[in-house]
Amino acid sequence: MNSPNRNMAIVRAVREQKRSPSKVAKHFGISRQRVYQILNAFDAGGAQAVAPKSRAPHTHPQAVPDKLRADIVTIRRQLTRHGLDAGPETIAFHLERDGKRSPSTSTIRRILAKEGLISPEPKKKPKSSFIRFEAAMPNECWQADITHIFLADGTRVDVLDFLDDHSRYLLSITAASAFTGPQVAAELTRLITTYGPPASTLTDNGLVFTARLAGRKGGRNAFEKVLYTYKIQQKNGRPGHPQTQGKIERFHQTLKKWITARPPAKTIGELQEQLDEFRDYYNIHRPHRALGRRSPHHSYTTGPKASPSDNPKQEWRTRNDIVWDNGKVTVRYAGKLFHLGIGRAFKRQKVLMVIADNHVITSLAETGEVITEHYIDTARDYQRPYWKQGDPPQGTK
């Protein structure tokens, strides 16, 4: 039988192989006196007496006390039950906030794993491998997106949110059965009025955010018109590449985890109350790991803010149409369809419209004669002509 006990090997070399203590001492690199001590100990107590002794210290000053271990497990379970982040870094924060000693995050992770509260993920990509992109100042970039949450009866509800890239401050979060382009633009305008215009926005390529993948049939949509008005730079992620909007995508995980831990809302109004409660917790009370455990509200409200510096180009496009019998044509502006009065005298005639933002000049396609000029007023559907056929008025509108 093989034995890892060196002392027993020494005993057997002398007693069973009949080798001299001097040769055995030389073979094992110890003194002859040590060989005799091992033999005497074996004679007195048998194999157990010469078994290797542990070199571990009798006391462990740095060991985590049982009470602290229990606190770590309790905090983990409480945070998880309420749908909150419950990682080792968050647990360490709560321990320090309560005036308790916090072990290293690796020690907390081992305690949680031993209790069966987390599972190792060896294939998970380490966070150190990610390349981080973060705006340097508040209002340097706002991320916006639309996700969905289900009510108690299974009804799907859209949730629109705006997040400041630098501070992670949740500027707004709104629930609705669905969002149109003008609704999203109206919310952006409200936020600009409240917080000031950002230097840029970052969104996906949804039609409520950009018309660039729609063949530009209607020019800029309502969201893009607001950006143009305030000289805000527009950024869009590459189609099929949500990692570009990584912060707001990760934010949605936090949101849905928090929502799932509560009874499902029965109505959109009830869901909005939950979202308002979450916004208050997320902005003010929740420590953010990426912000050095500061709150988004603290990071957003301290220090200077960025402002727009983009100089967007004027939008030029043309449209061919036929005047209806009622003397009108249509044109899409800021994502909405408007009716332009041309005059019944031109019914069923082909016209060419040259459009520069909200300024439209209409001419007969066959002769090139300019017959009307319009300035689109988004507050009304029907657009009266600024002037009709003949010499244009002096000056500008």
Side-chain angles (χ1 to χ4, degrees), residues 293-365:
R293 293 300 165 187
R294 294 173 298 167
S295 69
H297 179 267
H298 178 273
S299 297
Y300 183 78
T301 56
T302 57
K305 293 181 173 60
S307 58
S309 59
D310 194 32
N311 187 21
K313 296 179 180 179
Q314 190 177 40
E315 178 194 12
W316 291 90
R317 57 193 172 98
T318 61
R319 171 174 168 76
N320 295 298
D321 204 348
I322 297 176
V323 181
W324 299 353
D325 289 346
N326 59 7
K328 299 176 184 177
V329 294
T330 59
V331 65
R332 187 171 297 277
Y333 175 78
K336 184 178 178 182
L337 198 65
F338 294 92
H339 293 81
L340 278 59
I342 302 297
R344 286 188 173 87
F346 301 101
K347 67 179 182 180
R348 300 183 185 178
Q349 294 200 43
K350 295 180 180 180
V351 294
L352 168 67
M353 291 177 280
V354 177
I355 307 166
D357 291 319
N358 70 330
H359 182 206
V360 183
I361 296 178
T362 304
S363 62
L364 296 174

Side-chain angles (χ1 to χ4, degrees), residues 45-58:
Q48 189 64 31
V50 296
K53 302 296 188 296
S54 173
R55 297 186 179 184
H58 296 293

